Amino acid sequence: MKQYVPAISVAFALGISLPAAAQFQKPEDAIKYRKAAFTVMNAHFGRVGAMVNNRIPYDAKVAAENAEITAEIAKLPFAGFGPGTEKGDTRAKPEIWTEMDKFRAAASKMQEETAKLATAAKAGNPETLKAAFGDAAKSCKACHDSYRKE
Ligand code: ASC
């Protein structure tokens, strides 16, 4: 029998930083929460990507705002991967829960890279931003390749 454990204790157990206490009534709520966080992160990271790839004009202020939001939101989704949240409306692979240390390491790496992205964006140099964006995107992809279904 799987037992549902509130996100806050899971986050502490995993050593993942929670900027604010997220709490879920049911596993389905945790799944919705983590997906919502990834969706918001994608919108802001994508905005930075559009600049880096010259799809929209480079604007240092807009880049810095969006990179900052990306780095903040990056702290959120992993609270939603507690025990009991393996099944449901999710593309998360079961390996997440059998390789939780590796998953946690990949999550931390992405959090580090998005923090570096925010720092790079503040520096106001598009070339520096581009390099940091590439590193951050790699850290997203690494996790998707191992832990997300198509
Ligand atoms: C994005 C986004 C991702 C990553 C990934 C990088 O903009 O939504 O999931 O970049 O595609 O390879």
Side-chain angles (χ1 to χ4, degrees), residues 38 41-43 45-46 133 136-138 140-141 144 148:
F38 284 127
M41 191 162 49
N42 165 267
F45 188 60
F133 180 86
K138 246 186 252 168
C140 300
K141 188 173 186 303
H144 295 161
R148 188 178 72 174

Side-chain angles (χ1 to χ4, degrees), residues 29-63:
D29 293 347
I31 293 172
K32 256 196 225 167
Y33 174 90
R34 73 196 186 208
K35 288 169 75 173
F38 284 127
T39 298
V40 173
M41 191 162 49
N42 165 267
H44 295 280
F45 188 60
R47 194 86 188 272
V48 179
M51 269 183 228
V52 160
N53 294 310
N54 301 312
R55 279 183 278 119
I56 60 173
Y58 173 73
D59 179 321
K61 186 168 179 286
V62 174

Side-chain angles (χ1 to χ4, degrees), residues 10 13 21 27 32 57 65-66 68 86-87 89 92 117-118 121 127 143-144:
V10 172
K32 256 196 225 167
E65 283 169 358
N66 283 281
E68 182 68 37
E86 297 93 329
K87 295 261 157 66
D89 183 14
L117 178 73
E127 286 310 311
C143 212
H144 295 161

